[in-house]
Amino acid sequence: MEALSIIPVQFLHGLVYGMLLFLVASGLTLIFGMMGVLNFAHGALYMLGAYFSFSILRWTGQFWLCMIVAPLLVGAFGILMERFLLRQVHRYGHAHELLLTFGLAYIIEELVKWIWGNQPLHVEIPAMLAGSVQFLGITYPTYRLFILLISAIVFAVLFLILYKTRAGIIVTAAVSRAEMVNALGINVPLVFMLLFGVGGALAGLAGVIGGPYLITNPGMASTIIIDLFVVVVVGGLGSLPGALLASFLIGELQSFGILLIPQMAIALEFLLMAVVLIVKPEGLLGDKA
Amino acid sequence: MLELNDINTYYDNSHVLHNVSLDVKAGETVALLGRNGVGKTTTMRTIMGLTPARMGEIKFKGTDIVRWKPYQIARAGLGFVPEERWIFPTLTVHQNLLIGQKNVADPGGPAAGRWTLEKCYEAFPSLKKRQYAKGGTLSGGEQQMLTIARTLVGNPEMILIDEPTEGLAPKIVEVVADIIRDIAEQGMTVLLVEQKLAIALDLADRIYVISKGMIQWYGSPEELRANDSVRKAYLEV
Ligand SMILES: Nc1ncnc2c1ncn2[C@@H]1O[C@H](COP(=O)(O)OP(=O)(O)OP(=O)(O)O)[C@@H](O)[C@H]1O
Ligand SMILES: [Mg+2]
């Protein structure tokens, strides 16, 4: 019985990590996948969300408030980043963006250590989510199910906005032909700045949600950043369903990898990436170039 | 309606437009003619703010717009139909048109002569048929019609049309020329770049001839027809 129930539990573990990964990567799908801005500081934005949330929680004791305020703060930070750093270097290409955002990620990490210290921080989750739930003979922490719920909501809302509203259509068009959209009367630089803000806010939200689960610590950005790029590229640049699928696969690969071949668990993800990129270079659900 | 005074435009250090001056009056169709690479597209890009002029003045309805951003110029009432067409390939025909719309709601119903989605589909039946097809799957002619419709649905007061018949089959060339004639007859002000001289002579009220980034000649279609030396020097190959 014990041995059998480990499979659904391990599946759930993988699903939760995968969906958290999706939550962080959704913002990068907008920023890198769609806009093509190589933002290596996306993990740092996620980390800022977690730390902002820690502080807001300490001052107010309101986890729900964290879920609103921290993403707004990180979103605003993202907007400033786009306006004053990335917009200036975008036309020089990816190398400039990579170096600039790589440096920024370092600076944020050092600032985080300086302000909040090197130690991992304990973030209290609200009492309502602290227990566990029983279903299908499994006992599972409520908070992890909450992560699944938030990811599902974020996916649904983003999907509807991106693919079903005029705003989403404008984003797609602006990404493919900025000059034309501009000449049709749409303020494209503003669209990009707001999109960057939304991407940042999503990273911030992921930080609030992920902090208590993956532990708020100064290394959390650099731990996740490579996974994020793998998700966006394997899923297919700019494809939200692709990012969801890739996150799911990577979550499960890690979860079952650790169980079955622990020595290779980390490598599995990159094996998947290599296979996908060779067989389907545009990514699982990406548009053919 | 539109007036360029001594416009000078550069791509980095290469000086492309030299003191270009021209004007287009309300309701007129003016053609800008010249050989390949002489600066016709650059003139349109400059008017639209996509490649801003370094010196000179561009007056649209009396206001100098030379430092304005493209989206501000578009909102002021100038529409641009680019040579490259720039259809959004992953969006449907319908979605392409939605991008062109400036204000989605038209309170009190559309005023007479205003372009709505319905009117576009009426004027371009081939687009209605392919309403839900991806822009990238359209034929060259359909793409050209979509480009024109997408600009019209934003209800500009004047449109810049860059080589609309380029690369189209002779039959489609006629269709596109008819569309432009219709639009102009409905009162639209048009600045047209067109390599096919017969079409330009037929559509235009007045003509400017440009060479090496300088306006060399201007006059009526009849004058150009009669002027062999200008045609030989600047247009015919
Ligand atoms: N983006 C650019 N960068 C540098 N030079 C350019 C650029 N675009 C055009 N040019 C140059 O500017 C000059 C004018 O080009 P333009 O496109 O305005 O010509 P055109 O009259 O529209 O030609 P065509 O009939 O081939 O469309 C050409 O010499 C061209 O090589
Ligand atoms: Mg041209």
Side-chain angles (χ1 to χ4, degrees), chain B residues 85-97 127 130-144 146-147 150:
Chain B
R85 294 176 190 149
W86 287 337
I87 293 301
F88 307 117
T90 59
L91 298 179
T92 64
V93 167
H94 192 73
Q95 288 173 326
N96 267 272
L97 292 176
L127 292 184
R130 309 225 43 198
Q131 199 171 348
Y132 301 109
K134 291 262 162 77
T137 67
L138 301 186
S139 69
E142 288 168 334
Q143 290 204 1
Q144 187 59 58
L146 179 55
T147 314
R150 184 179 61 187

Side-chain angles (χ1 to χ4, degrees), chain B residues 1 101 111 115 148 166 191 193 212 217 220 227 232:
Chain B
M1 168 147 312
Q101 271 189 323
W115 285 88
I148 295 173
E166 195 184 11
L191 179 60
V193 167
K212 294 184 186 151
W217 184 90
S220 69
N227 194 331
K232 283 217 175 68

Side-chain angles (χ1 to χ4, degrees), chain B residues 135-182:
Chain B
T137 67
L138 301 186
S139 69
E142 288 168 334
Q143 290 204 1
Q144 187 59 58
M145 290 179 210
L146 179 55
T147 314
I148 295 173
R150 184 179 61 187
T151 298
L152 288 178
V153 82
N155 286 294
E157 289 170 61
M158 171 174 180
I159 50 175
L160 316 174
I161 312 182
D162 196 355
E163 302 207 25
T165 66
E166 195 184 11
L168 300 182
K171 250 192 207 156
I172 312 292
V173 168
E174 281 308 311
V175 175
V176 170
D178 287 343
I179 287 168
I180 295 170
R181 188 180 301 106
D182 283 350

Side-chain angles (χ1 to χ4, degrees), chain A residues 150-203:
Chain A
I150 296 292
S151 310
I153 292 174
V154 165
F155 175 76
V157 170
L158 265 185
F159 186 88
L160 288 178
I161 292 177
L162 273 181
Y163 300 110
K164 303 289 169 203
T165 68
R166 184 166 184 266
I169 295 169
I170 287 175
V171 166
T172 314
V175 166
S176 79
R177 292 258 174 257
E179 276 196 335
M180 188 66 236
V181 176
N182 218 331
L184 287 170
I186 293 159
N187 186 348
V188 173
L190 181 70
V191 171
F192 282 168
M193 195 169 87
L194 292 178
L195 197 60
F196 215 97
V198 172
L202 286 167

Side-chain angles (χ1 to χ4, degrees), chain B residues 39-91:
Chain B
K40 303 180 301 292
T41 297
T42 306
T43 304
M44 293 200 160
R45 291 182 57 88
T46 299
I47 297 169
M48 232 26 236
L50 292 166
T51 307
R54 221 173 268 180
M55 282 170 293
E57 164 186 82
I58 301 177
K59 283 203 166 152
F60 182 57
K61 294 185 284 178
T63 314
D64 190 0
I65 57 167
V66 78
R67 299 270 162 269
W68 289 20
K69 298 270 184 292
Y71 72 91
Q72 295 168 320
I73 294 170
R75 285 180 194 173
L78 260 169
F80 181 40
V81 178
E83 188 174 1
E84 300 86 347
R85 294 176 190 149
W86 287 337
I87 293 301
F88 307 117
T90 59
L91 298 179

